[in-house]
Amino acid sequence: GDSVTQMEGPVTLSEEAFLTINCTYTATGYPSLFWYVQYPGEGLQLLLKATKADDKGSNKGFEATYRKETTSFHLEKGSVQVSDSAVYFCVPSLGGNKLVFGAGTILRVKS
Amino acid sequence: NAGVTQTPKFRVLKTGQSMTLLCAQDMNHEYMYWYRQDPGMGLRLIHYSVGEGTTAKGEVPDGYNVSRLKKQNFLLGLESAAPSQTSVYFCASGIAPYEQYFGPGTRLTVT
């Protein structure tokens, strides 16, 4: 069935390190792909999205490219900050009028 | 715009008591959702609505009821609270199913 596999955390990095959080999906067809972020004590917010193959979503220095060949949508940032510490969710649109969120990946950035 | 607001922010209930959580949005969104978030389990969908007067069950609907009498409001009711319903509850709304705007959450403890 349709599903998403996201890198398990927590991921702990030093400030200014390069970040990659892996995300792969299995789906019939070509879903839209989203990254949501949840900062401590807050609700989730949409970070970036891509709606078709080879699209690159970007926001706040984060990027992710929709790779149809590898069914992946990895999240990257060149230089993380302490303020990027949060939980990151990779979410494909798997049909219906709803999203299915996994447990997410916890990112901790140390100064 | 206030976005998505949730009332109350915190609540402590005794087992068997009832309560209603209110979600309000001022963005004229058709879609509204109620989730619960528990440690290590990500977000799980309780109920959702695709427009005024409609509701549908999500992944974990048992023990909850909802109503969408007005487009801007989505109410979540607990008729007889149980300790297993201790959680953080998030409401979200969207003009489309996959781009959701989240409220700040309600932290509910059932003793």
Side-chain angles (χ1 to χ4, degrees):
Chain A
D2 296 347
S3 66
V4 63
T5 300
Q6 189 175 334
M7 186 173 177
E8 281 197 27
V11 173
T12 303
L13 296 173
S14 297
E15 212 166 17
E16 299 183 2
F18 185 86
L19 168 71
T20 300
I21 299 179
N22 292 336
C23 172
T24 57
Y25 67 90
T26 57
T28 51
Y30 302 105
S32 295
L33 300 168
F34 304 85
W35 277 100
Y36 279 79
V37 59
Q38 183 178 27
Y39 297 103
E42 300 182 9
L44 280 71
Q45 51 186 276
L46 179 62
L47 180 61
L48 55 84
K49 67 177 182 181
T51 57
K52 60 184 187 297
D54 299 325
D55 263 3
K56 177 185 281 189
S58 61
N59 186 22
K60 298 184 180 182
F62 291 89
E63 292 183 340
T65 301
Y66 190 155
R67 304 282 188 201
K68 186 175 68 173
E69 311 79 31
T70 54
T71 62
S72 65
F73 193 52
H74 305 322
L75 183 68
E76 296 181 337
K77 186 174 185 182
S79 176
V80 293
Q81 306 299 313
V82 172
S83 57
D84 293 325
S85 297
V87 183
Y88 292 82
F89 298 87
C90 178
V91 189
S93 62
L94 296 178
N97 292 311
K98 52 192 186 291
L99 291 171
V100 177
F101 293 88
T105 300
I106 297 171
L107 171 65
R108 298 182 179 136
V109 181
K110 297 181 176 180
S111 60
Chain B
N1 285 353
V4 180
T5 57
Q6 292 183 232
T7 309
K9 288 184 170 51
F10 302 94
R11 185 73 187 268
V12 178
L13 286 180
K14 294 186 188 303
T15 296
Q17 287 184 320
S18 63
M19 77 165 294
T20 300
L21 282 67
L22 170 64
C23 175
Q25 53 96 1
D26 61 1
M27 297 174 282
N28 202 37
H29 287 165
E30 291 292 338
Y31 298 84
M32 296 190 75
Y33 304 83
W34 275 109
Y35 297 90
R36 60 177 290 173
Q37 186 175 35
D38 302 294
M41 301 194 71
L43 268 71
R44 292 182 291 170
L45 182 64
I46 305 172
H47 287 280
Y48 64 101
S49 168
V50 300
E52 181 179 316
T54 75
T55 62
K57 293 180 179 179
E59 182 186 358
V60 288
D62 293 343
Y64 305 94
N65 56 74
V66 287
S67 64
R68 182 98 182 269
L69 298 179
K70 294 183 179 180
K71 186 177 185 178
Q72 63 267 34
N73 295 337
F74 195 30
L75 278 63
L76 178 71
L78 286 73
E79 290 186 348
S80 179
S84 60
Q85 295 177 304
T86 293
S87 188
V88 181
Y89 291 85
F90 288 100
C91 175
S93 72
I95 196 167
Y98 307 128
E99 297 191 32
Q100 296 181 16
Y101 294 78
F102 282 76
T106 295
R107 186 172 296 274
L108 175 66
T109 301
V110 183
T111 61

Short mmCIF file of all heavy atoms in Angstrom, two decimals, chain B residues 52-111:
data_model
loop_
_atom_site.label_atom_id
_atom_site.label_comp_id
_atom_site.label_asym_id
_atom_site.label_seq_id
_atom_site.Cartn_x
_atom_site.Cartn_y
_atom_site.Cartn_z
N GLU B 52 -19.07 23.03 5.47
CA GLU B 52 -20.09 23.26 6.49
C GLU B 52 -21.15 22.16 6.45
O GLU B 52 -21.62 21.79 5.37
CB GLU B 52 -20.74 24.62 6.24
CG GLU B 52 -21.81 25.01 7.22
CD GLU B 52 -22.37 26.40 6.89
OE1 GLU B 52 -21.58 27.31 6.59
OE2 GLU B 52 -23.60 26.55 6.91
N GLY B 53 -21.47 21.64 7.63
CA GLY B 53 -22.50 20.62 7.72
C GLY B 53 -22.03 19.20 7.46
O GLY B 53 -22.82 18.26 7.56
N THR B 54 -20.74 19.02 7.12
CA THR B 54 -20.21 17.67 6.84
C THR B 54 -19.19 17.28 7.88
O THR B 54 -18.47 18.14 8.41
CB THR B 54 -19.54 17.60 5.47
OG1 THR B 54 -18.25 18.25 5.52
CG2 THR B 54 -20.38 18.26 4.39
N THR B 55 -19.14 15.99 8.19
CA THR B 55 -18.07 15.45 9.04
C THR B 55 -17.74 14.05 8.55
O THR B 55 -18.57 13.39 7.91
CB THR B 55 -18.46 15.39 10.52
OG1 THR B 55 -19.57 14.51 10.68
CG2 THR B 55 -18.80 16.77 11.07
N ALA B 56 -16.53 13.59 8.85
CA ALA B 56 -16.12 12.25 8.47
C ALA B 56 -15.13 11.73 9.51
O ALA B 56 -14.45 12.52 10.17
CB ALA B 56 -15.48 12.26 7.09
N LYS B 57 -15.08 10.40 9.63
CA LYS B 57 -14.18 9.79 10.61
C LYS B 57 -12.78 9.70 10.06
O LYS B 57 -12.57 9.43 8.88
CB LYS B 57 -14.69 8.40 10.98
CG LYS B 57 -16.01 8.40 11.72
CD LYS B 57 -16.45 6.98 12.06
CE LYS B 57 -17.76 7.00 12.82
NZ LYS B 57 -18.23 5.62 13.14
N GLY B 58 -11.83 9.88 10.99
CA GLY B 58 -10.44 9.68 10.64
C GLY B 58 -9.94 8.35 11.16
O GLY B 58 -10.68 7.37 11.23
N GLU B 59 -8.71 8.36 11.58
CA GLU B 59 -8.03 7.13 12.01
C GLU B 59 -8.46 6.67 13.39
O GLU B 59 -8.55 5.47 13.66
CB GLU B 59 -6.53 7.40 11.98
CG GLU B 59 -5.64 6.24 12.35
CD GLU B 59 -4.18 6.66 12.41
OE1 GLU B 59 -3.86 7.84 12.14
OE2 GLU B 59 -3.33 5.81 12.75
N VAL B 60 -8.70 7.62 14.31
CA VAL B 60 -9.01 7.28 15.70
C VAL B 60 -10.24 8.02 16.20
O VAL B 60 -10.17 8.84 17.11
CB VAL B 60 -7.78 7.56 16.62
CG1 VAL B 60 -6.68 6.55 16.37
CG2 VAL B 60 -7.27 8.99 16.43
N PRO B 61 -11.44 7.72 15.67
CA PRO B 61 -12.62 8.51 16.01
C PRO B 61 -13.34 8.09 17.29
O PRO B 61 -14.17 8.86 17.81
CB PRO B 61 -13.53 8.25 14.81
CG PRO B 61 -13.16 6.86 14.39
CD PRO B 61 -11.69 6.74 14.63
N ASP B 62 -13.05 6.90 17.81
CA ASP B 62 -13.83 6.38 18.93
C ASP B 62 -13.66 7.24 20.18
O ASP B 62 -12.56 7.58 20.58
CB ASP B 62 -13.40 4.93 19.24
CG ASP B 62 -13.77 3.99 18.11
OD1 ASP B 62 -14.63 4.38 17.27
OD2 ASP B 62 -13.22 2.88 18.07
N GLY B 63 -14.79 7.56 20.81
CA GLY B 63 -14.78 8.38 22.02
C GLY B 63 -14.91 9.87 21.75
O GLY B 63 -14.94 10.65 22.70
N TYR B 64 -15.00 10.26 20.47
CA TYR B 64 -15.07 11.66 20.09
C TYR B 64 -16.27 11.89 19.17
O TYR B 64 -16.62 11.01 18.39
CB TYR B 64 -13.82 12.11 19.36
CG TYR B 64 -12.52 11.87 20.08
CD1 TYR B 64 -11.78 10.72 19.85
CD2 TYR B 64 -12.02 12.81 20.99
CE1 TYR B 64 -10.58 10.50 20.50
CE2 TYR B 64 -10.81 12.60 21.64
CZ TYR B 64 -10.09 11.44 21.39
OH TYR B 64 -8.90 11.22 22.03
N ASN B 65 -16.84 13.09 19.26
CA ASN B 65 -17.82 13.49 18.26
C ASN B 65 -17.47 14.90 17.80
O ASN B 65 -16.76 15.64 18.50
CB ASN B 65 -19.24 13.43 18.83
CG ASN B 65 -19.39 14.27 20.09
OD1 ASN B 65 -19.44 15.50 20.03
ND2 ASN B 65 -19.45 13.62 21.24
N VAL B 66 -17.96 15.26 16.62
CA VAL B 66 -17.63 16.57 16.06
C VAL B 66 -18.88 17.18 15.43
O VAL B 66 -19.85 16.49 15.12
CB VAL B 66 -16.53 16.49 14.97
CG1 VAL B 66 -15.16 16.22 15.58
CG2 VAL B 66 -16.89 15.46 13.92
N SER B 67 -18.82 18.51 15.28
CA SER B 67 -19.88 19.19 14.55
C SER B 67 -19.29 20.39 13.81
O SER B 67 -18.35 21.04 14.30
CB SER B 67 -21.00 19.63 15.47
OG SER B 67 -20.53 20.58 16.41
N ARG B 68 -19.87 20.66 12.65
CA ARG B 68 -19.42 21.78 11.80
C ARG B 68 -20.68 22.53 11.36
O ARG B 68 -21.11 22.48 10.21
CB ARG B 68 -18.66 21.26 10.58
CG ARG B 68 -18.11 22.37 9.69
CD ARG B 68 -16.68 22.66 9.96
NE ARG B 68 -16.17 23.74 9.13
CZ ARG B 68 -15.59 23.56 7.95
NH1 ARG B 68 -15.45 22.32 7.43
NH2 ARG B 68 -15.13 24.58 7.26
N LEU B 69 -21.30 23.20 12.29
CA LEU B 69 -22.54 23.92 12.01
C LEU B 69 -22.28 25.21 11.26
O LEU B 69 -23.12 25.67 10.47
CB LEU B 69 -23.31 24.18 13.31
CG LEU B 69 -23.75 22.92 14.07
CD1 LEU B 69 -24.48 23.31 15.35
CD2 LEU B 69 -24.62 22.04 13.20
N LYS B 70 -21.15 25.82 11.53
CA LYS B 70 -20.75 27.02 10.82
C LYS B 70 -19.41 26.76 10.12
O LYS B 70 -18.57 26.03 10.64
CB LYS B 70 -20.59 28.21 11.77
CG LYS B 70 -21.86 28.67 12.41
CD LYS B 70 -21.59 29.91 13.28
CE LYS B 70 -22.86 30.41 13.92
NZ LYS B 70 -22.60 31.60 14.77
N LYS B 71 -19.22 27.36 8.98
CA LYS B 71 -18.01 27.10 8.20
C LYS B 71 -16.74 27.41 8.98
O LYS B 71 -15.75 26.71 8.85
CB LYS B 71 -18.05 27.96 6.93
CG LYS B 71 -16.92 27.66 5.96
CD LYS B 71 -17.09 28.50 4.70
CE LYS B 71 -16.06 28.15 3.65
NZ LYS B 71 -16.26 28.92 2.40
N GLN B 72 -16.78 28.43 9.81
CA GLN B 72 -15.56 28.85 10.48
C GLN B 72 -15.26 28.09 11.75
O GLN B 72 -14.18 28.24 12.31
CB GLN B 72 -15.63 30.35 10.78
CG GLN B 72 -16.72 30.76 11.75
CD GLN B 72 -18.01 31.16 11.03
OE1 GLN B 72 -18.34 30.63 9.99
NE2 GLN B 72 -18.71 32.14 11.60
N ASN B 73 -16.19 27.26 12.23
CA ASN B 73 -15.99 26.58 13.51
C ASN B 73 -16.06 25.07 13.35
O ASN B 73 -16.91 24.54 12.61
CB ASN B 73 -17.05 27.00 14.53
CG ASN B 73 -16.96 28.47 14.89
OD1 ASN B 73 -15.92 29.09 14.75
ND2 ASN B 73 -18.06 29.03 15.36
N PHE B 74 -15.22 24.37 14.11
CA PHE B 74 -15.23 22.91 14.11
C PHE B 74 -15.06 22.48 15.56
O PHE B 74 -14.03 22.76 16.18
CB PHE B 74 -14.09 22.39 13.23
CG PHE B 74 -14.18 20.95 12.86
CD1 PHE B 74 -15.41 20.30 12.73
CD2 PHE B 74 -13.03 20.21 12.59
CE1 PHE B 74 -15.49 18.97 12.35
CE2 PHE B 74 -13.10 18.87 12.21
CZ PHE B 74 -14.34 18.25 12.09
N LEU B 75 -16.07 21.85 16.12
CA LEU B 75 -16.09 21.49 17.53
C LEU B 75 -15.76 20.01 17.70
O LEU B 75 -16.28 19.17 16.96
CB LEU B 75 -17.46 21.78 18.14
CG LEU B 75 -17.76 23.22 18.56
CD1 LEU B 75 -17.74 24.17 17.38
CD2 LEU B 75 -19.09 23.29 19.29
N LEU B 76 -14.95 19.74 18.70
CA LEU B 76 -14.62 18.36 19.07
C LEU B 76 -15.14 18.10 20.46
O LEU B 76 -14.78 18.81 21.41
CB LEU B 76 -13.10 18.14 19.03
CG LEU B 76 -12.62 16.74 19.43
CD1 LEU B 76 -12.99 15.72 18.35
CD2 LEU B 76 -11.11 16.74 19.67
N GLY B 77 -15.99 17.06 20.60
CA GLY B 77 -16.56 16.74 21.89
C GLY B 77 -16.07 15.42 22.45
O GLY B 77 -15.86 14.47 21.70
N LEU B 78 -15.86 15.42 23.76
CA LEU B 78 -15.58 14.19 24.48
C LEU B 78 -16.75 13.98 25.42
O LEU B 78 -16.98 14.80 26.33
CB LEU B 78 -14.30 14.29 25.30
CG LEU B 78 -12.96 14.25 24.56
CD1 LEU B 78 -12.70 15.55 23.80
CD2 LEU B 78 -11.83 13.98 25.54
N GLU B 79 -17.53 12.94 25.21
CA GLU B 79 -18.74 12.74 26.02
C GLU B 79 -18.43 12.20 27.41
O GLU B 79 -19.07 12.57 28.39
CB GLU B 79 -19.69 11.80 25.30
CG GLU B 79 -20.32 12.43 24.05
CD GLU B 79 -21.36 11.53 23.42
OE1 GLU B 79 -21.43 10.35 23.81
OE2 GLU B 79 -22.08 12.01 22.53
N SER B 80 -17.46 11.30 27.50
CA SER B 80 -17.10 10.69 28.78
C SER B 80 -15.59 10.44 28.74
O SER B 80 -15.13 9.43 28.23
CB SER B 80 -17.85 9.37 28.96
OG SER B 80 -17.48 8.76 30.19
N ALA B 81 -14.84 11.41 29.25
CA ALA B 81 -13.39 11.39 29.10
C ALA B 81 -12.75 10.18 29.79
O ALA B 81 -13.20 9.76 30.88
CB ALA B 81 -12.79 12.68 29.64
N ALA B 82 -11.70 9.66 29.16
CA ALA B 82 -10.94 8.55 29.71
C ALA B 82 -9.46 8.94 29.76
O ALA B 82 -9.02 9.78 28.96
CB ALA B 82 -11.12 7.32 28.83
N PRO B 83 -8.70 8.35 30.67
CA PRO B 83 -7.26 8.68 30.73
C PRO B 83 -6.54 8.49 29.41
O PRO B 83 -5.56 9.20 29.14
CB PRO B 83 -6.74 7.72 31.81
CG PRO B 83 -7.92 7.51 32.71
CD PRO B 83 -9.11 7.48 31.78
N SER B 84 -7.00 7.55 28.57
CA SER B 84 -6.36 7.32 27.27
C SER B 84 -6.54 8.51 26.32
O SER B 84 -5.87 8.57 25.27
CB SER B 84 -6.94 6.07 26.60
OG SER B 84 -8.34 6.22 26.40
N GLN B 85 -7.41 9.44 26.68
CA GLN B 85 -7.61 10.63 25.85
C GLN B 85 -6.72 11.80 26.28
O GLN B 85 -6.82 12.89 25.71
CB GLN B 85 -9.08 11.03 25.84
CG GLN B 85 -9.96 9.99 25.18
CD GLN B 85 -11.43 10.35 25.22
OE1 GLN B 85 -12.00 10.58 26.28
NE2 GLN B 85 -12.06 10.38 24.05
N THR B 86 -5.86 11.56 27.25
CA THR B 86 -4.84 12.54 27.59
C THR B 86 -3.91 12.70 26.40
O THR B 86 -3.34 11.72 25.91
CB THR B 86 -4.03 12.07 28.82
OG1 THR B 86 -4.89 12.07 29.96
CG2 THR B 86 -2.84 12.98 29.07
N SER B 87 -3.81 13.95 25.90
CA SER B 87 -3.07 14.16 24.67
C SER B 87 -3.00 15.67 24.40
O SER B 87 -3.54 16.48 25.13
CB SER B 87 -3.78 13.46 23.50
OG SER B 87 -2.99 13.50 22.33
N VAL B 88 -2.29 15.99 23.33
CA VAL B 88 -2.34 17.35 22.79
C VAL B 88 -3.19 17.29 21.53
O VAL B 88 -2.94 16.48 20.64
CB VAL B 88 -0.94 17.90 22.48
CG1 VAL B 88 -1.06 19.33 21.95
CG2 VAL B 88 -0.06 17.87 23.72
N TYR B 89 -4.19 18.15 21.46
CA TYR B 89 -5.13 18.16 20.35
C TYR B 89 -4.85 19.36 19.45
O TYR B 89 -4.76 20.50 19.93
CB TYR B 89 -6.57 18.19 20.86
CG TYR B 89 -6.96 16.91 21.55
CD1 TYR B 89 -6.67 16.71 22.90
CD2 TYR B 89 -7.59 15.89 20.85
CE1 TYR B 89 -6.99 15.51 23.52
CE2 TYR B 89 -7.92 14.69 21.46
CZ TYR B 89 -7.62 14.52 22.80
OH TYR B 89 -7.93 13.33 23.42
N PHE B 90 -4.74 19.09 18.16
CA PHE B 90 -4.51 20.15 17.19
C PHE B 90 -5.66 20.20 16.20
O PHE B 90 -6.13 19.17 15.71
CB PHE B 90 -3.22 19.92 16.42
CG PHE B 90 -1.98 20.16 17.22
CD1 PHE B 90 -1.28 19.11 17.77
CD2 PHE B 90 -1.52 21.45 17.43
CE1 PHE B 90 -0.13 19.33 18.53
CE2 PHE B 90 -0.38 21.69 18.18
CZ PHE B 90 0.30 20.62 18.73
N CYS B 91 -6.06 21.40 15.90
CA CYS B 91 -7.01 21.66 14.84
C CYS B 91 -6.26 22.24 13.65
O CYS B 91 -5.25 22.95 13.84
CB CYS B 91 -8.07 22.64 15.33
SG CYS B 91 -9.24 23.16 14.07
N ALA B 92 -6.73 21.94 12.46
CA ALA B 92 -6.12 22.50 11.26
C ALA B 92 -7.22 22.82 10.26
O ALA B 92 -8.31 22.22 10.29
CB ALA B 92 -5.11 21.53 10.64
N SER B 93 -6.94 23.76 9.37
CA SER B 93 -7.87 24.07 8.30
C SER B 93 -7.09 24.28 7.01
O SER B 93 -5.87 24.50 7.04
CB SER B 93 -8.70 25.32 8.63
OG SER B 93 -7.90 26.50 8.54
N GLY B 94 -7.79 24.19 5.89
CA GLY B 94 -7.13 24.39 4.61
C GLY B 94 -8.11 24.67 3.50
O GLY B 94 -9.26 24.23 3.55
N ILE B 95 -7.63 25.42 2.49
CA ILE B 95 -8.44 25.66 1.30
C ILE B 95 -8.42 24.41 0.43
O ILE B 95 -9.28 24.19 -0.41
CB ILE B 95 -7.93 26.89 0.55
CG1 ILE B 95 -8.96 27.39 -0.45
CG2 ILE B 95 -6.58 26.61 -0.13
CD1 ILE B 95 -8.67 28.76 -1.00
N ALA B 96 -7.38 23.58 0.62
CA ALA B 96 -7.25 22.29 -0.05
C ALA B 96 -6.81 21.29 1.01
O ALA B 96 -6.28 21.69 2.05
CB ALA B 96 -6.23 22.37 -1.18
N PRO B 97 -7.00 20.00 0.76
CA PRO B 97 -6.70 19.02 1.82
C PRO B 97 -5.25 18.97 2.26
O PRO B 97 -4.96 18.64 3.41
CB PRO B 97 -7.11 17.70 1.20
CG PRO B 97 -8.04 18.04 0.11
CD PRO B 97 -7.60 19.37 -0.42
N TYR B 98 -4.33 19.29 1.35
CA TYR B 98 -2.93 18.98 1.63
C TYR B 98 -2.13 20.16 2.14
O TYR B 98 -1.02 19.99 2.59
CB TYR B 98 -2.27 18.39 0.39
CG TYR B 98 -3.07 17.23 -0.17
CD1 TYR B 98 -3.43 17.19 -1.50
CD2 TYR B 98 -3.47 16.20 0.66
CE1 TYR B 98 -4.17 16.14 -1.99
CE2 TYR B 98 -4.22 15.14 0.17
CZ TYR B 98 -4.57 15.11 -1.16
OH TYR B 98 -5.30 14.08 -1.65
N GLU B 99 -2.67 21.34 2.11
CA GLU B 99 -1.98 22.51 2.65
C GLU B 99 -2.78 23.00 3.84
O GLU B 99 -3.73 23.76 3.72
CB GLU B 99 -1.85 23.59 1.58
CG GLU B 99 -1.00 23.15 0.41
CD GLU B 99 -0.64 24.29 -0.51
OE1 GLU B 99 -0.48 25.43 -0.03
OE2 GLU B 99 -0.51 24.05 -1.72
N GLN B 100 -2.38 22.52 4.99
CA GLN B 100 -3.16 22.76 6.20
C GLN B 100 -2.47 23.78 7.10
O GLN B 100 -1.24 23.79 7.22
CB GLN B 100 -3.36 21.44 6.95
CG GLN B 100 -4.19 20.43 6.14
CD GLN B 100 -4.42 19.14 6.89
OE1 GLN B 100 -4.23 19.04 8.10
NE2 GLN B 100 -4.84 18.12 6.16
N TYR B 101 -3.31 24.59 7.75
CA TYR B 101 -2.85 25.58 8.71
C TYR B 101 -3.29 25.11 10.09
O TYR B 101 -4.47 24.84 10.30
CB TYR B 101 -3.44 26.96 8.41
CG TYR B 101 -2.97 27.54 7.11
CD1 TYR B 101 -3.50 27.12 5.89
CD2 TYR B 101 -1.98 28.51 7.08
CE1 TYR B 101 -3.06 27.64 4.69
CE2 TYR B 101 -1.53 29.05 5.89
CZ TYR B 101 -2.08 28.60 4.70
OH TYR B 101 -1.64 29.12 3.51
N PHE B 102 -2.33 25.04 11.00
CA PHE B 102 -2.59 24.45 12.30
C PHE B 102 -2.78 25.52 13.38
O PHE B 102 -2.17 26.59 13.34
CB PHE B 102 -1.43 23.55 12.72
CG PHE B 102 -1.45 22.21 12.05
CD1 PHE B 102 -1.07 22.07 10.72
CD2 PHE B 102 -1.89 21.09 12.73
CE1 PHE B 102 -1.10 20.83 10.09
CE2 PHE B 102 -1.93 19.84 12.12
CZ PHE B 102 -1.53 19.73 10.81
N GLY B 103 -3.62 25.17 14.35
CA GLY B 103 -3.73 25.98 15.55
C GLY B 103 -2.62 25.65 16.53
O GLY B 103 -1.81 24.77 16.28
N PRO B 104 -2.60 26.35 17.67
CA PRO B 104 -1.51 26.20 18.64
C PRO B 104 -1.65 24.97 19.54
O PRO B 104 -0.72 24.64 20.26
CB PRO B 104 -1.59 27.48 19.47
CG PRO B 104 -3.03 27.86 19.39
CD PRO B 104 -3.50 27.46 18.03
N GLY B 105 -2.80 24.31 19.50
CA GLY B 105 -2.96 23.10 20.29
C GLY B 105 -3.69 23.31 21.61
O GLY B 105 -3.70 24.41 22.17
N THR B 106 -4.32 22.24 22.08
CA THR B 106 -4.93 22.19 23.41
C THR B 106 -4.34 21.00 24.14
O THR B 106 -4.39 19.88 23.65
CB THR B 106 -6.46 22.00 23.30
OG1 THR B 106 -7.05 23.14 22.70
CG2 THR B 106 -7.07 21.78 24.69
N ARG B 107 -3.80 21.27 25.31
CA ARG B 107 -3.22 20.19 26.12
C ARG B 107 -4.26 19.72 27.11
O ARG B 107 -4.68 20.48 27.98
CB ARG B 107 -1.97 20.67 26.83
CG ARG B 107 -1.21 19.56 27.57
CD ARG B 107 0.13 20.07 28.11
NE ARG B 107 1.04 20.46 27.04
CZ ARG B 107 1.84 19.63 26.40
NH1 ARG B 107 1.86 18.35 26.72
NH2 ARG B 107 2.65 20.08 25.47
N LEU B 108 -4.71 18.47 26.96
CA LEU B 108 -5.77 17.90 27.79
C LEU B 108 -5.20 16.77 28.64
O LEU B 108 -4.53 15.87 28.13
CB LEU B 108 -6.90 17.35 26.92
CG LEU B 108 -8.01 16.61 27.66
CD1 LEU B 108 -8.77 17.57 28.57
CD2 LEU B 108 -8.96 15.93 26.70
N THR B 109 -5.48 16.84 29.92
CA THR B 109 -5.10 15.79 30.86
C THR B 109 -6.36 15.23 31.48
O THR B 109 -7.20 16.00 32.00
CB THR B 109 -4.17 16.31 31.96
OG1 THR B 109 -2.99 16.87 31.36
CG2 THR B 109 -3.76 15.19 32.91
N VAL B 110 -6.52 13.91 31.43
CA VAL B 110 -7.67 13.25 32.05
C VAL B 110 -7.14 12.40 33.21
O VAL B 110 -6.32 11.50 33.01
CB VAL B 110 -8.44 12.37 31.05
CG1 VAL B 110 -9.67 11.76 31.75
CG2 VAL B 110 -8.86 13.18 29.85
N THR B 111 -7.63 12.71 34.40
CA THR B 111 -7.12 11.99 35.59
C THR B 111 -8.12 10.94 36.09
O THR B 111 -9.29 10.96 35.69
CB THR B 111 -6.84 12.98 36.72
OG1 THR B 111 -8.07 13.63 37.08
CG2 THR B 111 -5.82 14.02 36.29
#
